[in-house]
Amino acid sequence: MANLKAALIGCGGMGRAHANAGQALGVEVVAFCDVIEAAAERAREEFGGRYATTDADRIMRDDSIDLLYIATHHDAHHPLAIAGAQAGKHMMLEKPMCIMRHQAVEVAEAVEKAGVKAVVDHWFRIQPTTQKIRELIPHPRLSHGQLAMENYNTGRVGAKWLWDKDDGGGLLVSTAVHTVDLLCYLMDSAGDRVYAESHLFEPEHKGTSGYPDVLVGTIVWQSGGLSTIISTDQGFNPAVSKWFHEVWDGERSAVLSSHTARVDFGGADIDTIDLNELSAEEMAKVRGAYPIHANLLEAIRTDGDTICNVHDGVKSVSICNALDEAARTGKPQDVAR
Ligand SMILES: NC(=O)c1ccc[n+]([C@@H]2O[C@H](COP(=O)([O-])OP(=O)(O)OC[C@H]3O[C@@H](n4cnc5c(N)ncnc54)[C@H](O)[C@@H]3O)[C@@H](O)[C@H]2O)c1
């Protein structure tokens, strides 16, 4: 297969990680697009390539481009992914696939209709720790998923735009969607019903949308399994890490910590996998953008499926929307199917 040609849309921190991963896998990243011209130009200077532009339509019309990396703010995921599918481009879609379920469904339909390959960048799925849990605990009964990050109010971490109604969509769908997706993957199921409470402890610096900075919820899975979830920016603790998950099946259990790089098993033949023992170079091959890109390229090459396809993208957004609605109304919500 000749080298694929890609365009990056959204030339910020994550977009540049995708350009890096693509190049490391032999993709030619030929075009760079951002609403901020200087950001697109900076990325083109950093990675080489033919042109920088603020016009996403130019990318869509460019028949030499096979592949898009969409790493913009969240409001643009929906229109860009639909335009990309209609233009016949394969796509690496940043999370959340969309802010709202109905948008995600439209993206899934457009991708199916166009017959292009797409992967949603829920890379926690692909790493060896997660894969080992799937192997040893294929049918969990219970799980817990947690996003617990440093307080955005400090201004030291995170992006303010996440709290914006249009750009971001709030902490749950912006960031804890990773946890929801990982629970979908580990429970090997889709959401059936959810319960939730939420709270906005610190409205300062969190925009005017009123999104909660804490949500505590329960997910009932179609498989009959149960999960609890916490999404909060009320403080990081290295003992549990920003991302923390637990899984039980009645005989075996797993605890996923250290930003999902370490898993400790109970009742299984092995005790621990700790990816922190790998060299930085080895680690980069099994976590983050690189393995997700490799998975997408393999799907394109073999006409196979990706590890997190557009239907998976719909599932996690559907659960996030239902949790938000359950917290807003104080009533359990069925997860739309
Ligand atoms: N998968 C992960 O682990 C992970 C980690 C961090 C961020 N992300 C995701 O990556 C995406 C980008 O996040 P980031 O941290 O790089 O943000 P960022 O603010 O650093 O970069 C986003 C860039 O997109 C540009 N942009 C916004 N709207 C655009 C549009 N309509 N067209 C073209 N460019 C546009 C902005 O100007 C900015 O340069 C988000 O979806 C975020 O949730 C994923």
Side-chain angles (χ1 to χ4, degrees), residues 80-266:
L80 289 171
I82 289 190
Q86 288 173 347
K89 317 287 191 201
H90 304 297
M91 295 182 287
M92 195 302 307
L93 303 169
E94 254 316 331
K95 41 63 53 173
M97 195 166 90
C98 297
I99 296 176
M100 299 304 297
R101 177 181 192 277
H102 67 89
Q103 299 171 326
V105 168
E106 286 172 12
V107 168
E109 286 170 356
V111 164
E112 287 281 301
K113 187 167 173 203
V116 295
K117 303 293 175 190
V119 69
V120 187
D121 187 18
H122 286 302
W123 61 266
F124 290 170
R125 285 181 175 226
I126 207 164
Q127 60 184 337
T129 46
T130 308
Q131 290 297 317
K132 200 64 175 176
I133 300 176
R134 284 266 295 196
E135 181 192 324
L136 296 180
I137 312 181
H139 306 294
R141 293 174 176 168
L142 289 177
S143 59
H144 171 67
Q146 186 168 307
L147 163 73
M149 52 198 306
E150 267 187 274
N151 193 316
Y152 275 130
N153 277 345
T154 63
R156 282 184 289 120
V157 289
K160 299 282 187 300
W161 59 265
L162 295 187
W163 301 100
D164 186 276
K165 191 161 176 36
D166 297 321
D167 274 8
L171 186 66
L172 179 72
V173 81
S174 284
T175 308
V177 67
H178 262 321
T179 281
V180 171
D181 175 75
L182 186 51
L183 290 175
C184 286
Y185 190 58
L186 293 173
M187 299 303 284
D188 197 16
S189 190
D192 184 23
R193 196 168 65 258
V194 299
Y195 304 75
E197 286 281 342
S198 66
H199 206 86
L200 179 54
F201 282 114
E202 292 166 275
E204 306 82 20
H205 313 301
K206 289 182 177 169
T208 54
S209 306
Y211 283 118
D213 45 23
V214 170
L215 182 139
V216 177
T218 302
I219 304 168
V220 182
W221 300 94
Q222 289 176 19
S223 64
L226 296 171
S227 297
T228 53
I229 175 166
I230 293 178
S231 163
T232 179
D233 76 341
Q234 295 297 298
F236 168 78
N237 182 328
V240 293
S241 82
K242 174 179 171 184
W243 307 102
F244 180 70
H245 297 80
E246 297 173 298
V247 175
W248 297 266
D249 73 353
E251 287 177 29
R252 288 151 297 214
S253 61
V255 176
L256 199 49
S257 60
S258 189
H259 212 295
T260 72
R262 178 184 170 110
V263 59
D264 290 277
F265 288 99

Side-chain angles (χ1 to χ4, degrees), residues 12-14 34-35 71-74 76-77 94-95 121 123 161 178:
M14 202 59 213
D34 200 290
V35 284
T72 61
H73 294 182
H74 302 157
H77 290 184
E94 254 316 331
K95 41 63 53 173
D121 187 18
W123 61 266
W161 59 265
H178 262 321

